[in-house]
Amino acid sequence: QVQLVESGGGSVQPGGSLRLSCAASGVTVGSRCMAWFHQAPGKQREGVAKLDKSGSTYVADSAKGRFTISSDSAKNILYLQMNSLKPDDTAIYYCAAAVFHVCTGSDIVASNYNYWGQGTQVTVSS
């Protein structure tokens, strides 16, 4: 079975940083397209960052320059480093993995992903 378990969320002040982790089992990080999404209350789930099977990364415009996606193949973990956090970043953050999607292009689309973690809450407030 495929399992994705997020951790690292919490409450921070604007300008603060967090590093989210997604521990994967049943799927090898780096061999599949993987991504981070977030969802605020009452809003649609949106893509934040993507790591494709070739190792290329893409970050949504709202997070570009602040967030970085990376992986540790030895530990089979996907990371999201979040710097310069803003109140608008407040959301539940989910990691996701694709099975068959070719994972090309810059778009990060939820329907392309087959497996999801339970989410971790990030709250940014003063």
Side-chain angles (χ1 to χ4, degrees), residues 26-117:
V27 61
T28 300
V29 174
S31 68
R32 299 287 184 268
C33 297
M34 298 192 71
W36 288 94
F37 292 79
H38 70 187
Q39 187 168 23
K43 295 187 177 181
Q44 187 173 320
R45 191 168 299 186
E46 296 180 329
V48 177
K50 175 177 72 175
L51 175 68
D52 72 22
K53 289 183 286 187
S54 71
S56 297
T57 62
Y58 301 89
V59 180
D61 288 343
S62 63
K64 195 170 296 182
R66 301 186 298 122
F67 292 5
T68 303
I69 188 170
S70 63
S71 64
D72 185 330
S73 59
K75 297 180 179 180
N76 211 37
I77 295 175
L78 183 75
Y79 297 105
L80 184 68
Q81 179 66 47
M82 309 168 67
N83 298 327
S84 301
L85 283 161
K86 303 175 180 179
D88 284 349
D89 296 320
T90 296
I92 300 173
Y93 284 73
Y94 300 89
C95 67
V99 177
F100 300 112
H101 182 53
V102 295
C103 204
T104 58
S106 60
D107 289 346
I108 308 168
V109 181
S111 61
N112 291 333
Y113 295 84
N114 308 99
Y115 302 106
W116 296 82

